Amino acid sequence: MSLTLSILDLAPVAPGQTPRDSFEASVELARAAERFGYRRVWYAEHHNMASIASSATSVLIGYVAAHTDTIRLGAGGIMLPNHAPLTIAEQFGTLETLFPGRIDLGLGRAPGSDQVTMHAMRRDASSSDSFPQDVLELQGYLAGKSRVPGVQAVPGAGTNVPLYILGSSLFGAQLAAAVGLPYAFASHFAPDALHQAVELYRREFQPSAQLAEPYVMAGANVIAADDADDARQQFEIVRRRRVRSMIARGPATPEYSDAEIDAFLTTPNGRQIADMMRYTATGTASDVRRFLEEFAASVQADELIVAHHSQDIADRLRSVELTADAMQGADA
């Protein structure tokens, strides 16, 4: 099976580190991805999360692009209801103008934040209702065929930055199929509807100027290491961090110990959070290859976009290398 491999970089801020440390790690990660043959690296828009530094997504893309040469970079994704389509067209039109042929724009409709943060961003709960119309408006700006008379994206018009629809439900699958765009499913943290959504997308897909046939990207988590026990220990650290980020919000929240987190993971709520990382490849290179091949085959994915979660950047870079070598060896 010929399978394209890409990376989702969550720009994590590890304990004791700063956002600047995270940005430098993202540059190292993208350079490694470029060196080892990954297709693209994407960054996701999140807000008010101390452990994720990619809130100003287009700015981060520009910074990493300036420190790399060939790899595609993009948003996975921009939460479009947080923004005016014209603003995003201008931002990504600027990126495409500066780094031609290297920029992607994945679009989602979630807030990328909690309810209080939504209010701080001047977004209301109904903002996502216009997502399909906003996608078409944005597409028009980038194609130089504005749907708003007298308004053009400068820069942006005619850049035709490729769009992708992101989703974790049937809604995104239906939209991506209707407008003929590639579909990226967020199975790295929301696995439940993956197979149903992909089946719907392929069944209802309508060809477009951008895409003649359905194209499916599926997300997975990866921790590859030279030693399987080391990989499992890294995964335990990552899983505890994930749980803490979901149950510990705000400065008044107590700092839960590892033992308390492990006890919580035995509860129904804990198991539910743990299941969000259902599609996680952990182990040696051969373990990871076997998992990713089976995962991709189960959904007939055209491309896997993997999040390397190791907390230490050196371990993350090793995971990037081992995974690339394993998957390239599988294609040989």
Side-chain angles (χ1 to χ4, degrees):
M1 177 183 63
S2 178
L3 184 64
T4 299
L5 197 62
S6 296
I7 289 177
L8 175 66
D9 180 3
L10 294 174
V13 182
Q17 294 188 335
T18 68
R20 179 60 186 254
D21 296 326
S22 172
F23 299 148
E24 296 308 317
S26 288
V27 168
E28 288 191 64
L29 194 72
R31 285 174 171 166
E34 189 171 75
R35 192 162 60 247
F36 296 122
Y38 288 80
R39 171 69 60 84
R40 68 187 96 241
V41 181
W42 280 2
Y43 308 91
E45 177 187 348
H46 293 280
H47 299 281
N48 195 30
M49 296 185 70
S51 60
I52 297 179
S54 51
S55 55
T57 314
S58 60
V59 179
L60 178 57
I61 292 168
Y63 180 70
V64 177
H67 290 81
T68 51
D69 297 313
T70 58
I71 194 162
R72 297 193 67 88
L73 300 165
I78 289 292
M79 300 299 107
L80 191 54
N82 292 344
H83 312 275
L86 177 61
T87 299
I88 297 304
E90 291 168 342
Q91 290 178 8
F92 280 80
T94 298
L95 288 169
E96 176 64 24
T97 301
L98 290 169
F99 309 101
R102 296 182 57 199
I103 302 301
D104 300 327
L105 178 48
L107 302 168
R109 67 178 182 131
S113 60
D114 54 34
Q115 296 293 320
V116 175
T117 308
M118 279 178 59
H119 178 72
M121 297 178 68
R122 303 300 189 265
R123 171 180 170 169
D124 62 56
S126 64
S127 300
S128 60
D129 294 346
S130 62
F131 181 61
Q133 294 75 29
D134 289 347
V135 169
L136 294 176
E137 183 180 334
L138 172 57
Q139 188 177 48
Y141 290 135
L142 293 171
K145 300 176 181 178
S146 176
R147 291 169 173 257
V148 182
V151 178
Q152 293 192 62
V154 182
T159 56
N160 292 299
V161 176
L163 302 182
Y164 298 74
I165 299 298
L166 279 58
S168 58
S169 69
L170 303 187
F171 179 90
Q174 289 173 318
L175 177 60
V179 298
L181 292 176
Y183 181 49
F185 194 92
S187 36
H188 62 293
F189 76 91
D192 289 345
L194 170 63
H195 293 84
Q196 186 181 2
V198 169
E199 181 182 359
L200 185 154
Y201 167 70
R202 291 192 184 280
R203 183 175 66 246
E204 298 189 2
F205 180 83
Q206 299 295 315
S208 68
Q210 179 177 326
L211 193 64
E213 297 179 344
Y215 191 87
V216 172
M217 298 171 65
N221 306 293
V222 172
I223 297 179
D226 294 291
D227 178 78
D229 288 337
D230 181 26
R232 282 190 288 270
Q233 289 172 8
Q234 290 184 42
F235 174 71
E236 291 304 319
I237 293 171
V238 169
R239 187 169 63 169
R240 291 180 186 124
R241 189 177 69 207
R242 170 70 64 89
V243 172
R244 281 192 182 95
S245 72
M246 299 193 71
I247 65 175
R249 294 291 181 95
T253 306
E255 178 62 33
Y256 295 104
S257 68
D258 287 352
E260 288 172 323
I261 293 295
D262 290 343
F264 175 72
L265 282 165
T266 66
T267 69
N269 286 341
R271 287 192 293 270
Q272 184 177 10
I273 292 176
D275 189 55
M276 293 170 66
M277 298 185 73
R278 182 189 314 166
Y279 295 123
T280 298
T282 303
T284 64
S286 59
D287 295 329
V288 167
R289 180 184 64 201
R290 184 164 51 253
F291 182 98
L292 292 181
E293 285 181 334
E294 292 175 357
F295 171 62
S298 77
V299 74
Q300 296 182 299
D302 300 288
E303 181 174 342
L304 293 184
I305 184 159
V306 297
H308 293 270
H309 282 292
S310 300
Q311 181 166 282
D312 184 83
I313 182 58
D315 290 333
R316 215 176 310 149
L317 293 172
R318 184 59 176 155
S319 183
V320 166
E321 180 180 5
L322 288 171
T323 302
D325 287 348
M327 298 305 289
Q328 289 164 1
D331 291 340

